Amino acid sequence: MSTRLAIIVAKIGLLLASTLLSVAALELGLTFWYADLRETGPLELVEEWGSPFIFKARSHPESKTYGVRRSLPIELATPPGTTRILSYGDSISAGHKLSEPETYAYMLEKRLSESNDGIVEVLNMSRGHSPTIHSFHLRSDVPRFKPDGVVLEIELINDVSDEARVHTSGQDEDGLPLQIHRHRYLLGWDGHILSPLSVFGSSIERTKLYAKLSRWYGRLRYKMNPNPIFEPDSNKTFYHLYPDRFLLTQPALDDGFERIFRTVSGIQRYLQRQGIRFLLVIIPSRHVFTREQYTETSTAIVARAERRAEELEIPYVSMTAALAERGGAELFMDFCHPTGDGNEVIADVLEPELVGW
């Protein structure tokens, strides 16, 4: 190699090294800058799937809670005389901004243990944001925890837009996806949730720099081509992260709705094959009770979900009537999360459904 060529190669190498160091420094700077926003974590990937979209609370062997929201240790082998129920859902079932005793899973465990002949465990699994993600967790959790029943909560304003962002491939014998390539949330390299405009779930998408740049891009796309669903005069509302509004078109949202019920139906088949009971819980949004511009469409999508569950012969309970009777909008802390009193209403409705499981 000539001296001139060696100098050129060295300069290119130096440029690449300095660029990588600059990017790394920027990533660390963003991590430090947004440290106060990392409310949830640290989290960890679920080994069986090896996907940045499938994650749960980090397990601590000494606590024996296995990433479940629970203060008491869990024995993987269900103790004799114990009925075990796994409770899945989004941040509603996890108990957003609530203490553990304020969650309906905690209340149900206490009540059912008092009314049943034996002990009942209701494990608040606290993993996953929508049914597609839950379908992956279930296939890891069921062989491990060996439950007698599963309860799955959905709330349409949240879950439809979550599922509209999903891309999967392959199917197992129950019609559940084998791989996931895209979702609204993924696990960052530091064990905290990111919400970039994901394309493939690659390593670079797990950085805060990519998340920041992709969100800027999303805001620009929306500014250039606004989505009428999210304009001020629209009577529809779905949860969004601002930069992803341009992706949440009506066809995408319709597909998200259907994906929910295809997945829930597959979950039901998976559990039935193993003799495990299943119940779907449909939670309305606060808009159903507020009599404003979103009330009509928010009510309609809950009714649509109830009809779809009936068509697919999915056992379900809807919380709309009970919440309306006990306080309606006052039982919510925001557009979708029930208060502790709201969770008590949910537990009241679920208790007779689960007695005898």
Coordinates of all heavy atoms in Angstrom, one line a residue, residues 251-317:
P251 N -58.4 2.9 7.4 CA -58.1 1.5 7.1 C -57.2 0.8 8.1 O -57.4 -0.4 8.5 CB -57.5 1.5 5.7 CG -58.0 2.8 5.1 CD -58.1 3.7 6.3
A252 N -56.1 1.5 8.6 CA -55.2 0.9 9.6 C -56.0 0.7 10.9 O -55.7 -0.4 11.5 CB -54.0 1.9 9.8
L253 N -56.8 1.6 11.3 CA -57.6 1.4 12.5 C -58.6 0.2 12.4 O -58.8 -0.5 13.3 CB -58.3 2.7 12.9 CG -57.3 3.8 13.3 CD1 -58.1 5.1 13.4 CD2 -56.7 3.5 14.7
D254 N -59.2 0.1 11.3 CA -60.2 -1.0 11.0 C -59.4 -2.3 11.1 O -59.9 -3.3 11.7 CB -60.8 -0.8 9.7 CG -61.8 0.3 9.6 OD1 -62.3 0.7 10.7 OD2 -62.2 0.8 8.5
D255 N -58.2 -2.3 10.5 CA -57.4 -3.6 10.6 C -57.0 -3.9 12.0 O -57.0 -5.0 12.4 CB -56.2 -3.4 9.7 CG -55.3 -4.7 9.7 OD1 -55.7 -5.7 9.2 OD2 -54.2 -4.6 10.3
G256 N -56.7 -2.8 12.8 CA -56.3 -3.0 14.2 C -57.4 -3.6 15.0 O -57.2 -4.5 15.8
F257 N -58.7 -3.1 14.7 CA -59.8 -3.7 15.4 C -60.0 -5.2 15.1 O -60.2 -6.0 16.0 CB -61.1 -2.9 15.0 CG -62.3 -3.4 15.7 CD1 -62.8 -2.9 16.9 CD2 -63.1 -4.5 15.1 CE1 -63.9 -3.4 17.5 CE2 -64.2 -5.0 15.7 CZ -64.7 -4.4 16.9
E258 N -59.9 -5.5 13.8 CA -60.1 -6.9 13.4 C -58.9 -7.8 13.9 O -59.1 -8.9 14.3 CB -60.2 -7.0 11.9 CG -61.5 -6.5 11.3 CD -62.7 -7.2 11.9 OE1 -62.7 -8.4 12.2 OE2 -63.7 -6.5 12.2
R259 N -57.7 -7.2 14.0 CA -56.6 -8.0 14.5 C -56.8 -8.3 16.0 O -56.4 -9.4 16.4 CB -55.3 -7.1 14.3 CG -54.0 -7.9 14.7 CD -52.8 -7.0 14.6 NE -52.5 -6.6 13.3 CZ -51.8 -7.3 12.4 NH1 -51.2 -8.4 12.8 NH2 -51.6 -6.8 11.2
I260 N -57.4 -7.4 16.7 CA -57.6 -7.7 18.1 C -58.4 -9.0 18.3 O -58.1 -9.9 19.0 CB -58.4 -6.5 18.8 CG1 -57.5 -5.3 19.0 CG2 -59.0 -7.0 20.1 CD1 -58.2 -4.1 19.5
F261 N -59.5 -9.1 17.5 CA -60.4 -10.2 17.7 C -59.9 -11.5 17.0 O -60.2 -12.6 17.5 CB -61.8 -9.8 17.2 CG -62.5 -8.9 18.3 CD1 -62.4 -7.6 18.2 CD2 -63.1 -9.5 19.4 CE1 -63.0 -6.8 19.2 CE2 -63.6 -8.7 20.4 CZ -63.6 -7.3 20.3
R262 N -59.1 -11.3 15.9 CA -58.5 -12.5 15.4 C -57.5 -13.1 16.4 O -57.4 -14.3 16.6 CB -57.7 -12.2 14.1 CG -58.5 -12.0 12.9 CD -57.6 -12.0 11.6 NE -56.5 -11.2 11.6 CZ -56.5 -9.9 11.2 NH1 -57.6 -9.4 10.7 NH2 -55.4 -9.2 11.2
T263 N -56.8 -12.2 17.1 CA -55.8 -12.7 18.1 C -56.5 -13.2 19.3 O -56.1 -14.3 19.8 CB -54.9 -11.5 18.5 OG1 -54.3 -11.0 17.3 CG2 -53.8 -12.0 19.4
V264 N -57.5 -12.5 19.8 CA -58.2 -13.0 21.0 C -58.9 -14.4 20.7 O -58.8 -15.3 21.6 CB -59.3 -12.0 21.4 CG1 -60.2 -12.6 22.6 CG2 -58.6 -10.7 22.0
S265 N -59.4 -14.6 19.5 CA -60.0 -15.9 19.1 C -58.9 -16.9 19.1 O -59.1 -18.1 19.6 CB -60.6 -15.8 17.8 OG -61.3 -16.9 17.4
G266 N -57.7 -16.6 18.6 CA -56.6 -17.5 18.6 C -56.1 -17.9 20.0 O -55.8 -19.0 20.3
I267 N -56.1 -16.9 20.9 CA -55.8 -17.1 22.3 C -56.8 -18.1 22.9 O -56.4 -19.0 23.7 CB -55.8 -15.8 23.1 CG1 -54.5 -15.0 22.7 CG2 -55.8 -16.0 24.6 CD1 -54.5 -13.6 23.2
Q268 N -58.1 -17.9 22.7 CA -59.1 -18.8 23.2 C -58.9 -20.2 22.7 O -59.0 -21.1 23.5 CB -60.5 -18.3 22.8 CG -61.6 -19.1 23.3 CD -63.0 -18.7 22.8 OE1 -63.1 -18.0 21.8 NE2 -64.0 -19.2 23.4
R269 N -58.6 -20.4 21.4 CA -58.3 -21.7 20.9 C -57.1 -22.4 21.6 O -57.1 -23.6 22.0 CB -58.1 -21.7 19.4 CG -59.4 -21.5 18.6 CD -59.1 -21.7 17.1 NE -58.2 -20.7 16.6 CZ -58.6 -19.6 16.0 NH1 -59.9 -19.3 16.1 NH2 -57.7 -18.7 15.5
Y270 N -56.0 -21.6 21.8 CA -54.8 -22.1 22.4 C -55.1 -22.6 23.8 O -54.7 -23.6 24.2 CB -53.8 -20.9 22.4 CG -52.6 -21.2 23.3 CD1 -51.6 -22.1 22.9 CD2 -52.4 -20.6 24.5 CE1 -50.5 -22.4 23.7 CE2 -51.3 -20.8 25.3 CZ -50.3 -21.7 24.9 OH -49.2 -22.0 25.7
L271 N -55.9 -21.8 24.6 CA -56.2 -22.2 25.9 C -57.2 -23.3 26.0 O -57.0 -24.2 26.9 CB -56.8 -20.9 26.7 CG -55.8 -19.8 26.9 CD1 -56.5 -18.6 27.4 CD2 -54.6 -20.1 27.7
Q272 N -58.2 -23.4 25.1 CA -59.1 -24.5 25.1 C -58.4 -25.8 24.9 O -58.8 -26.8 25.5 CB -60.2 -24.2 24.0 CG -61.3 -23.2 24.4 CD -62.3 -23.0 23.3 OE1 -62.0 -23.2 22.1 NE2 -63.5 -22.7 23.7
R273 N -57.5 -25.8 24.0 CA -56.8 -27.1 23.8 C -56.1 -27.7 25.0 O -55.9 -28.9 25.1 CB -55.7 -26.9 22.7 CG -56.2 -26.8 21.3 CD -55.1 -26.9 20.2 NE -54.1 -26.0 20.3 CZ -52.9 -26.2 20.8 NH1 -52.5 -27.4 21.3 NH2 -51.9 -25.2 20.8
Q274 N -55.8 -26.8 26.0 CA -55.1 -27.2 27.2 C -56.1 -27.3 28.4 O -55.6 -27.4 29.5 CB -54.0 -26.3 27.5 CG -53.0 -26.3 26.3 CD -51.9 -25.3 26.5 OE1 -51.0 -25.4 27.4 NE2 -51.9 -24.2 25.8
G275 N -57.4 -27.1 28.1 CA -58.4 -27.2 29.2 C -58.3 -26.0 30.2 O -58.7 -26.1 31.3
I276 N -57.9 -24.8 29.7 CA -57.8 -23.6 30.5 C -58.9 -22.7 30.2 O -59.2 -22.4 29.0 CB -56.4 -22.9 30.2 CG1 -55.3 -23.8 30.6 CG2 -56.4 -21.6 31.0 CD1 -53.9 -23.3 30.2
R277 N -59.6 -22.2 31.2 CA -60.8 -21.3 31.0 C -60.3 -19.9 30.5 O -59.2 -19.5 30.9 CB -61.6 -21.2 32.2 CG -62.2 -22.6 32.7 CD -63.1 -22.4 33.8 NE -63.7 -23.6 34.3 CZ -64.7 -23.8 35.1 NH1 -65.3 -22.7 35.6 NH2 -65.1 -24.9 35.5
F278 N -61.2 -19.2 29.9 CA -60.8 -17.9 29.3 C -62.0 -16.9 29.4 O -63.2 -17.3 29.2 CB -60.4 -18.0 27.9 CG -60.1 -16.7 27.2 CD1 -59.0 -15.9 27.6 CD2 -60.9 -16.2 26.2 CE1 -58.7 -14.7 27.0 CE2 -60.7 -15.0 25.6 CZ -59.6 -14.2 26.0
L279 N -61.7 -15.7 29.7 CA -62.7 -14.6 29.8 C -62.1 -13.3 29.3 O -61.0 -12.9 29.7 CB -63.2 -14.5 31.2 CG -64.3 -13.4 31.4 CD1 -65.6 -13.9 30.7 CD2 -64.6 -13.2 32.9
L280 N -62.8 -12.7 28.4 CA -62.4 -11.4 27.8 C -63.2 -10.3 28.6 O -64.4 -10.4 28.8 CB -62.8 -11.3 26.3 CG -62.5 -10.0 25.7 CD1 -61.0 -9.7 25.6 CD2 -63.1 -10.0 24.3
V281 N -62.4 -9.3 29.0 CA -63.0 -8.1 29.7 C -62.9 -6.9 28.9 O -61.8 -6.5 28.5 CB -62.3 -7.9 31.1 CG1 -62.9 -6.7 31.8 CG2 -62.3 -9.2 31.9
I282 N -64.1 -6.3 28.5 CA -64.1 -5.1 27.7 C -64.4 -3.9 28.6 O -65.4 -3.8 29.2 CB -65.2 -5.2 26.6 CG1 -65.0 -6.5 25.7 CG2 -65.3 -4.0 25.8 CD1 -66.1 -6.7 24.7
I283 N -63.4 -3.0 28.6 CA -63.5 -1.8 29.4 C -63.8 -0.6 28.5 O -63.1 -0.4 27.4 CB -62.2 -1.5 30.1 CG1 -61.7 -2.7 30.9 CG2 -62.3 -0.2 31.0 CD1 -62.4 -2.9 32.2
P284 N -64.8 0.2 28.8 CA -65.1 1.4 28.0 C -64.2 2.5 28.3 O -63.6 2.5 29.4 CB -66.6 1.7 28.4 CG -66.6 1.3 29.8 CD -65.8 0.1 29.9
S285 N -64.0 3.5 27.4 CA -63.3 4.7 27.8 C -64.1 5.6 28.6 O -65.4 5.5 28.6 CB -62.7 5.4 26.5 OG -63.8 6.0 25.8
R286 N -63.5 6.6 29.2 CA -64.2 7.6 29.9 C -65.2 8.4 29.0 O -66.2 8.9 29.5 CB -63.2 8.6 30.6 CG -63.9 9.6 31.5 CD -62.8 10.4 32.2 NE -63.3 11.4 33.1 CZ -63.8 12.6 32.8 NH1 -63.7 13.0 31.6 NH2 -64.3 13.4 33.8
H287 N -64.8 8.5 27.7 CA -65.6 9.3 26.8 C -67.1 8.8 26.7 O -68.0 9.5 26.4 CB -65.0 9.3 25.4 CG -63.7 9.9 25.3 ND1 -63.4 11.2 25.7 CD2 -62.5 9.3 25.0 CE1 -62.1 11.4 25.5 NE2 -61.5 10.3 25.1
V288 N -67.3 7.5 27.0 CA -68.6 6.9 26.9 C -69.6 7.6 27.9 O -70.8 7.7 27.6 CB -68.5 5.4 27.2 CG1 -69.9 4.8 27.4 CG2 -67.8 4.7 26.1
F289 N -69.0 8.2 29.0 CA -69.9 8.7 30.0 C -69.9 10.2 30.1 O -70.5 10.8 31.0 CB -69.4 8.1 31.4 CG -69.2 6.7 31.4 CD1 -67.9 6.1 31.3 CD2 -70.3 5.8 31.4 CE1 -67.8 4.7 31.4 CE2 -70.2 4.4 31.4 CZ -68.9 3.9 31.4
T290 N -69.2 10.9 29.2 CA -69.0 12.3 29.4 C -69.9 13.2 28.5 O -70.0 14.4 28.7 CB -67.6 12.7 29.0 OG1 -67.2 12.2 27.7 CG2 -66.6 12.2 30.1
R291 N -70.6 12.7 27.6 CA -71.6 13.4 26.7 C -70.9 14.6 26.0 O -71.3 15.7 26.2 CB -72.8 13.9 27.5 CG -73.6 12.8 28.1 CD -74.8 13.3 28.8 NE -75.6 12.2 29.4 CZ -76.8 12.4 30.0 NH1 -77.2 13.6 30.2 NH2 -77.4 11.4 30.5
E292 N -69.9 14.3 25.2 CA -69.2 15.3 24.5 C -68.9 14.7 23.1 O -69.5 13.8 22.7 CB -67.9 15.7 25.2 CG -67.2 14.6 26.0 CD -66.1 13.9 25.2 OE1 -66.1 13.9 23.9 OE2 -65.3 13.2 25.8
Q293 N -68.0 15.4 22.3 CA -67.9 15.1 20.9 C -67.5 13.6 20.6 O -67.7 13.1 19.5 CB -67.0 16.1 20.2 CG -65.5 15.9 20.6 CD -64.6 16.9 20.0 OE1 -64.3 17.9 20.6 NE2 -64.1 16.7 18.7
Y294 N -66.8 13.0 21.5 CA -66.3 11.6 21.3 C -67.3 10.5 21.8 O -67.0 9.4 21.7 CB -65.0 11.4 21.9 CG -63.9 12.4 21.4 CD1 -63.1 13.1 22.3 CD2 -63.7 12.6 20.1 CE1 -62.2 14.0 21.9 CE2 -62.8 13.6 19.6 CZ -62.0 14.2 20.6 OH -61.0 15.1 20.1
T295 N -68.3 10.9 22.5 CA -69.2 10.0 23.2 C -69.8 9.0 22.2 O -69.8 7.7 22.5 CB -70.3 10.7 24.0 OG1 -69.6 11.5 25.0 CG2 -71.2 9.7 24.7
E296 N -70.4 9.5 21.2 CA -71.1 8.6 20.3 C -70.2 7.5 19.6 O -70.6 6.3 19.6 CB -71.8 9.4 19.2 CG -72.6 8.6 18.2 CD -73.3 9.4 17.2 OE1 -73.3 10.7 17.3 OE2 -73.9 8.8 16.2
T297 N -69.1 7.9 19.1 CA -68.2 6.9 18.5 C -67.5 6.0 19.5 O -67.3 4.9 19.2 CB -67.1 7.7 17.6 OG1 -66.5 8.6 18.4 CG2 -67.8 8.4 16.4
S298 N -67.2 6.6 20.7 CA -66.6 5.7 21.7 C -67.6 4.7 22.2 O -67.2 3.5 22.5 CB -66.2 6.6 22.9 OG -65.2 7.5 22.5
T299 N -68.9 5.0 22.3 CA -69.9 4.1 22.7 C -70.1 3.0 21.6 O -70.2 1.8 21.8 CB -71.2 4.8 22.9 OG1 -71.0 5.8 24.0 CG2 -72.3 3.8 23.4
A300 N -70.1 3.5 20.3 CA -70.3 2.6 19.2 C -69.2 1.5 19.1 O -69.5 0.4 18.7 CB -70.4 3.4 17.9
I301 N -67.9 1.9 19.3 CA -66.9 0.9 19.2 C -66.9 -0.1 20.3 O -66.5 -1.3 20.0 CB -65.5 1.6 19.1 CG1 -64.5 0.7 18.5 CG2 -65.0 2.1 20.5 CD1 -63.1 1.3 18.1
V302 N -67.4 0.2 21.5 CA -67.6 -0.8 22.5 C -68.7 -1.8 22.1 O -68.5 -3.0 22.2 CB -68.0 -0.1 23.9 CG1 -68.3 -1.2 24.9 CG2 -66.8 0.7 24.4
A303 N -69.8 -1.2 21.6 CA -70.9 -2.1 21.1 C -70.4 -3.0 19.9 O -70.8 -4.2 19.9 CB -72.1 -1.2 20.6
R304 N -69.6 -2.4 19.1 CA -69.0 -3.2 18.0 C -68.2 -4.4 18.5 O -68.2 -5.5 18.0 CB -68.2 -2.3 17.1 CG -67.6 -3.0 15.9 CD -66.7 -2.0 15.1 NE -66.0 -2.6 14.0 CZ -65.0 -2.0 13.4 NH1 -64.7 -0.8 13.7 NH2 -64.3 -2.6 12.4
A305 N -67.4 -4.1 19.5 CA -66.5 -5.1 20.2 C -67.4 -6.2 20.8 O -67.1 -7.4 20.7 CB -65.6 -4.5 21.2
E306 N -68.5 -5.8 21.5 CA -69.4 -6.8 22.1 C -70.0 -7.7 21.0 O -70.0 -8.9 21.2 CB -70.4 -6.1 22.9 CG -69.9 -5.3 24.1 CD -70.9 -4.4 24.7 OE1 -72.0 -4.3 24.1 OE2 -70.6 -3.8 25.7
R307 N -70.4 -7.1 19.9 CA -71.0 -7.9 18.8 C -69.9 -8.9 18.2 O -70.2 -10.0 17.9 CB -71.5 -7.0 17.7 CG -72.8 -6.2 18.1 CD -73.4 -5.6 16.8 NE -72.5 -4.8 16.1 CZ -72.4 -3.5 16.3 NH1 -73.1 -2.9 17.3 NH2 -71.6 -2.7 15.6
R308 N -68.7 -8.4 18.1 CA -67.7 -9.2 17.5 C -67.3 -10.4 18.4 O -67.1 -11.5 17.9 CB -66.4 -8.4 17.2 CG -65.5 -9.0 16.2 CD -66.0 -8.9 14.8 NE -65.1 -9.5 13.8 CZ -65.3 -10.7 13.3 NH1 -66.4 -11.4 13.7 NH2 -64.5 -11.2 12.4
A309 N -67.3 -10.2 19.7 CA -67.0 -11.2 20.6 C -68.2 -12.3 20.5 O -67.9 -13.5 20.6 CB -66.9 -10.7 22.0
E310 N -69.4 -11.8 20.4 CA -70.5 -12.8 20.3 C -70.5 -13.6 19.0 O -70.7 -14.8 19.0 CB -71.8 -12.0 20.4 CG -72.1 -11.4 21.8 CD -73.3 -10.5 21.8 OE1 -73.9 -10.3 20.7 OE2 -73.5 -9.9 22.9
E311 N -70.1 -12.9 17.9 CA -70.0 -13.6 16.6 C -69.0 -14.7 16.7 O -69.1 -15.8 16.1 CB -69.7 -12.6 15.5 CG -70.8 -11.6 15.2 CD -70.3 -10.5 14.4 OE1 -69.1 -10.4 14.0 OE2 -71.2 -9.6 14.0
L312 N -67.9 -14.4 17.4 CA -66.8 -15.4 17.4 C -66.9 -16.4 18.6 O -66.0 -17.2 18.8 CB -65.4 -14.6 17.5 CG -65.1 -13.8 16.3 CD1 -63.8 -12.9 16.6 CD2 -64.8 -14.7 15.1
E313 N -68.0 -16.2 19.4 CA -68.3 -17.1 20.5 C -67.2 -17.0 21.6 O -66.7 -18.0 22.1 CB -68.5 -18.5 20.1 CG -69.7 -18.7 19.2 CD -70.0 -20.1 18.8 OE1 -69.2 -21.0 19.0 OE2 -71.1 -20.4 18.3
I314 N -66.7 -15.8 21.8 CA -65.7 -15.5 22.8 C -66.4 -15.1 24.1 O -67.2 -14.2 24.1 CB -64.8 -14.4 22.4 CG1 -64.0 -14.8 21.1 CG2 -63.8 -14.0 23.5 CD1 -63.2 -13.6 20.5
P315 N -66.2 -15.8 25.2 CA -66.8 -15.5 26.5 C -66.3 -14.1 26.9 O -65.1 -13.9 27.0 CB -66.5 -16.6 27.4 CG -65.2 -17.2 26.8 CD -65.3 -17.0 25.3
Y316 N -67.2 -13.2 27.3 CA -66.8 -11.9 27.6 C -67.7 -11.2 28.6 O -68.9 -11.7 28.8 CB -66.7 -11.0 26.4 CG -68.0 -10.4 25.9 CD1 -68.5 -9.2 26.3 CD2 -68.8 -11.2 25.1 CE1 -69.7 -8.7 25.9 CE2 -70.1 -10.7 24.7 CZ -70.5 -9.5 25.1 OH -71.7 -9.0 24.7
V317 N -67.2 -10.2 29.3 CA -68.0 -9.3 30.1 C -67.7 -7.9 29.7 O -66.5 -7.6 29.5 CB -67.8 -9.6 31.7 CG1 -68.4 -10.9 32.1 CG2 -66.4 -9.4 32.0

